[in-house]
Amino acid sequence: MVNSLQPKPVKAVEGFVISHASAGWSHSGFVSGFLLSPSAYTGLLFTCGDGSFGQLRHGGYKSQCTPVKISYFSSKHVDQIACGMRHSLVLLKGNFARNFHGLCSVNRKFILNDSCN
């Protein structure tokens, strides 16, 4: 990725309308809204940035320059994401899912890092 003073399209989320975004200390999260059609609400989750603490949910601790879709949340309806210093909080329709330093809570049950991506 090349630094630029001018805005550039983000190809990883091309075709999606981003309905919610959050910037943490060194990572960011994006929630897709409509997929070029008002009847096709997707609620997909994308993250990028520093992944040193597992906060990206990419299945490891690597950093990612461009947004990557989080497969674990593909079948869920993601409403919002909040990115903190080294953690992320995802609000699902009707439930909460939380990840913090490599842990993920789904329906108030904690599961290990590799199960959450």
Side-chain angles (χ1 to χ4, degrees), residues 4-65:
S4 174
L5 296 176
Q6 301 298 321
K8 295 186 185 259
V10 180
K11 294 187 186 281
V13 293
E14 198 169 44
F16 293 98
V17 175
I18 301 302
S19 60
H20 186 83
S22 179
W25 183 261
S26 59
H27 71 289
S28 300
F30 309 93
V31 177
S32 67
F34 299 100
L35 181 62
L36 300 181
S37 168
S39 62
Y41 186 83
T42 58
L44 297 175
L45 179 64
F46 299 84
T47 61
C48 62
D50 178 22
S52 299
F53 296 89
Q55 68 269 39
L56 297 181
R57 309 309 320 154
H58 294 170
Y61 300 96
K62 291 184 179 179
S63 298
Q64 183 70 37
C65 291

